[in-house]
């Protein structure tokens, strides 16, 4: 075998190894979905921005009220004759939830609120993701159709001890909820990303 043939054989073998080596290594070098998710969990500057209350209360609505679909009228049923002694009572018309709690007018930033609520800093990325999706970090956010309120959109708002619009009260309740229902903020985040609610 000539020296030239030997060199060509070595070059060919090297090319084959380089090609198959790249084909085998490339899938492992590609970023995975979890790597992308992890980058989203690094809290940005928004958790240090001071909260400024909206001047117009309508700016605190998170979602527009769902359009009510008109259903066909049911067939009329024969009405029983009312007894003369009973008074007729009419059911109150359904109305959008009314805001009973005072809106939050204090200051502070999400990082301060999370610290005051006792949420470990290691979970701040998960909390930031969920609060950003639920309310945009607006303590006065209210769902126009359901009445859910606050940073984490507690529904009903009254389940938050204290004031559902107070960011520390809302986050303190949410911390207990995330821990009790999901086992922690990381699991709550996984549930949110799979279902787009929590």
């Amino acid at each position: 075998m000539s020296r030239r043939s030997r060199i060509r054989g070595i070059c060919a073998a090297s090319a084959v190894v380089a090609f198959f080596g790249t084909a085998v290594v490339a899938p492992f070098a590609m970023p995975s979905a979890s790597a992308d998710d992890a980058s989203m969990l690094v809290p940005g500057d928004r958790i240090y921005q001071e909260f400024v209350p909206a001047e117009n209360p309508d700016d605190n609505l998170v979602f527009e009220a769902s359009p009510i679909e008109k259903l066909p009228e049911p067939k009329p049923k024969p009405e029983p004759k009312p007894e003369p002694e009973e008074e007729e009572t009419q059911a109150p018309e359904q109305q959008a939830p009314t805001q009973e709690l005072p809106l939050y007018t204090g200051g502070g930033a999400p990082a301060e609120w999370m610290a005051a609520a006792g949420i470990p800093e290691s979970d701040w990325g998960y909390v930031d993701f969920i609060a950003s999706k639920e309310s945009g970090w607006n303590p006065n956010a209210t769902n126009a159709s359901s009445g859910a309120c606050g940073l984490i959109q507690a529904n009903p708002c009254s389940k938050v001890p204290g004031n559902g619009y107070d960011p520390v009260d809302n986050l303190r309740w949410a911390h207990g909820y995330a821990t009790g229902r999901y086992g922690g903020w990381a699991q709550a985040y996984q549930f949110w990303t799979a279902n787009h609610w929590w």
Side-chain angles (χ1 to χ4, degrees):
M1 186 182 250
S2 72
R3 182 179 171 135
R4 193 175 207 190
S5 297
R6 205 177 288 156
I7 291 174
R8 264 197 280 183
I10 291 172
C11 288
S14 298
V16 168
V17 168
F19 175 76
F20 285 112
T22 303
V24 170
V25 172
F28 297 107
M30 297 178 83
S32 66
S34 61
D36 291 342
D37 292 344
S39 67
M40 291 175 58
L41 294 178
V42 177
D45 291 336
R46 73 176 159 257
I47 69 167
Y48 299 102
Q49 293 176 349
E50 289 288 319
F51 170 71
V52 178
E55 291 180 16
N56 182 358
D58 291 338
D59 293 340
N60 294 318
L61 297 179
V62 179
F63 306 106
E64 293 182 17
S66 302
I68 298 173
E69 184 178 323
K70 182 85 172 164
L71 298 175
E73 294 291 328
K75 293 181 181 178
K77 295 180 182 178
E79 294 183 27
K81 293 181 181 179
E83 295 182 22
E85 296 176 347
E86 291 182 12
E87 293 182 22
E88 291 185 24
T89 58
Q90 294 180 346
E93 293 182 25
Q94 281 190 336
Q95 298 176 357
T98 57
Q99 185 174 296
E100 298 172 8
L101 299 170
L103 293 177
Y104 181 72
T105 57
E112 297 167 357
W113 300 333
M114 288 187 282
I119 298 172
E121 196 168 342
S122 58
D123 288 332
W124 285 10
Y126 302 118
V127 180
D128 178 46
F129 178 87
I130 293 173
S132 295
K133 299 289 186 183
E134 293 289 325
S135 67
W137 280 110
N138 178 0
N140 295 324
T142 304
N143 185 304
S145 58
S146 72
C149 76
L151 295 175
I152 303 297
Q153 292 294 283
N155 188 13
C157 194
S158 60
K159 72 169 61 172
V160 177
N163 181 348
Y165 290 107
D166 182 276
V168 176
D169 288 348
N170 198 283
L171 287 170
R172 190 176 292 124
W173 167 81
H175 184 57
Y177 177 76
T179 305
R181 179 165 177 152
Y182 301 104
W185 282 102
Q187 296 87 340
Y189 162 78
Q190 290 170 351
F191 185 89
W192 201 104
T193 55
N195 299 283
H196 304 288
W197 63 274
W198 76 305

